[in-house]
Amino acid sequence: MNNLIYFSMEKLSLFILINFFTILFSFNQTFAQDKIKEEVLVFEKARVKATLTADTKKLEQMLAEEVVWIHSSGKRDSKTTYIQAIAEGKTRYKTMSVEQSEARIYGEIAITNGVLEFESIATDDTITKVRTLFTCVYHKRKGNWQVVSWQTTRL
């Protein structure tokens, strides 16, 4: 009988130890994912600020060479054409804000979805207020996030 109790206690101790480390590992994974999500959302805010302030040097770093940028109008831009339009003042914004943004992480890939509201300034200085849903895909390269795809749909 004593051998049976000892054997059961040994199994119970092993079971408790395995569960403890499983829960601890799971908690660490969740914490790490939350940290990466926050990192991506901070990057997204910085990208919006760079766009709003026409900081083309910052945008050069933030957009991947192969980025595909699809506007709510259906217009498609490459990195070169998007940054050039901002630099030349063809694309200007008075305001821009992200609402309800959520991030999902898949290794070195992040996807954000949310609502983007902005006021664009046309070449004749008329202002148009636009509210869109957006999807942005990021890829982490050499320790830095870059936008590889952007698409908005007008609400």
Side-chain angles (χ1 to χ4, degrees):
M1 180 77 175
N2 279 346
N3 286 342
L4 183 60
I5 292 172
Y6 177 76
F7 184 72
S8 295
M9 289 300 287
E10 188 176 278
K11 279 187 173 183
L12 180 62
S13 296
L14 183 60
F15 176 76
I16 291 171
L17 190 60
I18 289 171
N19 280 321
F20 172 76
F21 283 112
T22 301
I23 291 168
L24 185 62
F25 179 75
S26 176
F27 176 76
N28 283 339
Q29 291 291 91
T30 301
F31 180 75
Q33 284 281 42
D34 288 346
K35 187 176 176 185
I36 295 169
K37 285 179 184 180
E38 183 59 31
E39 178 184 309
V40 169
L41 294 174
V42 166
F43 179 87
E44 185 168 89
K45 287 179 185 177
R47 184 197 48 76
V48 167
K49 182 180 177 183
T51 302
L52 183 59
T53 61
D55 188 344
T56 56
K57 289 185 192 243
K58 190 77 167 168
L59 288 170
E60 278 284 341
Q61 299 167 356
M62 298 177 115
L63 304 182
E65 290 302 317
E66 74 278 12
V67 70
V68 174
W69 197 278
I70 301 178
H71 300 266
S72 60
S73 65
K75 180 184 175 197
R76 178 185 166 139
D77 269 320
S78 65
K79 177 178 182 173
T80 302
T81 59
Y82 181 71
I83 292 175
Q84 185 177 12
I86 290 173
E88 294 173 356
K90 293 177 183 174
T91 300
R92 296 182 297 156
Y93 299 97
K94 181 179 178 186
T95 63
M96 186 176 287
S97 64
V98 173
E99 303 169 15
Q100 305 167 5
S101 187
E102 296 177 0
R104 290 171 285 148
I105 309 300
Y106 304 99
E108 299 297 307
I109 303 293
I111 301 172
T112 58
N113 301 96
V115 175
L116 177 73
E117 191 169 282
F118 61 89
E119 292 178 304
S120 62
I121 306 169
T123 52
D124 66 357
D125 289 334
T126 58
I127 296 173
T128 304
K129 189 171 185 172
V130 181
R131 187 171 170 82
T132 65
L133 292 175
F134 73 88
T135 298
C136 190
V137 181
Y138 299 92
H139 186 200
K140 194 166 196 176
R141 296 176 174 156
K142 298 179 184 175
N144 297 308
W145 291 103
Q146 286 189 310
V147 177
V148 293
S149 184
W150 170 267
Q151 183 159 358
T152 52
T153 303
R154 196 178 288 241
L155 290 174

